[in-house]
Amino acid sequence: MKTQSATPAPAKAAAPKKSSGGLNPVLIIPILAIVAYLAYKFVFGDPSHFQGGDPEKNPIDGDYYGIIYKGGPIVPILFTCALTVLVFSIERFITIGRAKGSGSIDAFVRKVKGLLDRNEVSAAIAECDKQKGSVGNVVKTALLKYQQLSGDAALTKEQKLVALQKEVEEATSLELPMLEKNLTIIATLASVSTLVALLGTVLGMIRAFAAMGTTGQPDTAALATGISEALVNTALGIGTAAIATIMYSYFTSRIDELTYNIDEIGLSIQQNFSAHN
């Protein structure tokens, strides 16, 4: 008996898998916390920074390593915040730089708009391949849809325009989250660093007032240590929060600029399609 083999249905081409992109904060932040603690304990707390080589004593005059170490147990937490802001700022800078592509965005937008005005869609797609990055990817996706719709006689012009607009929006929505990833961490640390610093400041002032409240003559060494602890935590927290705020504003402005360029060229593609189809 002859067995009839079933002809398998043609497999649907799988969409290219997009990488999540960026560093994983669940892994990176604990590592940075360990690095911060080790730096606090063995670099800033090295005996060479203290009188008599004893970290329990006062720092050597003018030795800022020892002064920072005397900031107390909140300092490693602030170090972690500062390192997190630094690492994720570098990571976002690289990611957004790659999203821009290999050349000037403004020049790319002008070139693609000029090619579309001459109805040279294939040449415009070639420019997208040269530009790469998020902008190039979105524009290329839209232009491929442009070519597909141009030869589709089953849809009306209005339906084609709606389909083209939807394609641009979907391509943009896939690219933007890649750019905005981990920005929430930087924005959060801009406020959390200040609160952690405030906690360190309060603990330092508690120690300072406790030294003032001793019977008889106040313990001047404990008083100085408490005030130093408060000021060190305040300085570290405010500095970290300031850098985080600046970085967050810078990156959001870069992303807004890329979004504006995508919207501008997307509108040009739709206008060109309407004029030539």
Side-chain angles (χ1 to χ4, degrees):
M1 181 176 178
K2 185 177 180 180
T3 305
Q4 183 178 2
S5 60
T7 303
K12 185 178 180 180
K17 183 179 179 181
K18 288 182 71 69
S19 60
S20 58
L23 299 175
N24 186 351
V26 177
L27 297 176
I28 296 300
I29 293 178
I31 294 174
L32 294 178
I34 294 172
V35 172
Y37 176 77
L38 293 177
Y40 170 76
K41 193 70 177 177
F42 298 106
V43 177
F44 291 86
D46 187 273
S48 62
H49 302 306
F50 302 92
Q51 296 176 2
D54 185 0
E56 297 299 324
K57 295 182 179 180
N58 291 330
I60 297 174
D61 292 341
D63 193 317
Y64 289 101
Y65 281 73
I67 293 173
I68 292 175
Y69 179 81
K70 286 298 182 179
I74 300 297
V75 171
I77 301 176
L78 291 171
F79 277 175
T80 302
C81 294
L83 286 175
T84 302
V85 170
L86 176 63
V87 168
F88 283 106
S89 293
I90 294 173
E91 181 253 354
R92 284 297 91 191
F93 187 83
I94 295 173
T95 300
I96 294 175
R98 288 176 178 173
K100 177 183 173 183
S102 59
S104 168
I105 289 290
D106 293 333
F108 169 70
V109 171
R110 288 194 301 269
K111 185 173 293 186
V112 170
K113 289 173 69 175
L115 291 170
L116 289 177
D117 289 339
R118 299 191 297 271
N119 201 29
E120 298 177 12
V121 181
S122 298
I125 293 176
E127 288 298 325
C128 295
D129 291 331
K130 294 179 183 177
Q131 182 69 19
K132 301 179 181 179
S134 294
V135 177
N137 292 340
V138 172
V139 176
K140 181 178 179 179
T141 301
L143 291 175
L144 291 174
K145 189 67 173 181
Y146 182 112
Q147 285 186 325
Q148 177 188 340
L149 292 172
S150 296
D152 192 340
L155 299 177
T156 65
K157 183 176 182 178
E158 289 73 18
Q159 290 174 326
K160 291 180 180 179
L161 286 172
V162 170
L164 183 59
Q165 181 181 1
K166 184 179 179 181
E167 189 73 16
V168 174
E169 292 173 353
E170 288 180 352
T172 303
S173 66
L174 288 174
E175 291 288 343
L176 288 185
M178 303 283 292
L179 303 180
E180 295 172 350
K181 183 180 179 182
N182 294 334
L183 281 184
T184 304
I185 294 175
I186 297 177
T188 301
L189 289 177
S191 57
V192 169
S193 297
T194 306
L195 296 176
V196 174
L198 181 60
L199 175 61
T201 302
V202 171
L203 293 177
M205 294 309 296
I206 289 174
R207 180 181 297 186
F209 282 111
M212 292 179 63
T214 55
T215 56
Q217 186 176 3
D219 187 346
T220 56
L223 176 62
T225 299
I227 295 175
S228 175
E229 179 178 338
L231 294 178
V232 165
N233 284 287
T234 301
L236 288 176
I238 292 176
T240 301
I243 294 173
T245 301
I246 293 171
M247 290 294 98
Y248 179 78
S249 299
Y250 171 74
F251 291 133
T252 52
S253 66
R254 289 281 303 275
I255 293 173
D256 289 343
E257 181 182 354
L258 290 175
T259 305
Y260 172 79
N261 288 322
I262 291 174
D263 291 342
E264 179 185 5
I265 199 165
L267 180 60
S268 296
I269 292 172
Q270 295 173 52
Q271 290 175 342
N272 181 271
F273 185 88
S274 178
H276 291 89
N277 292 273

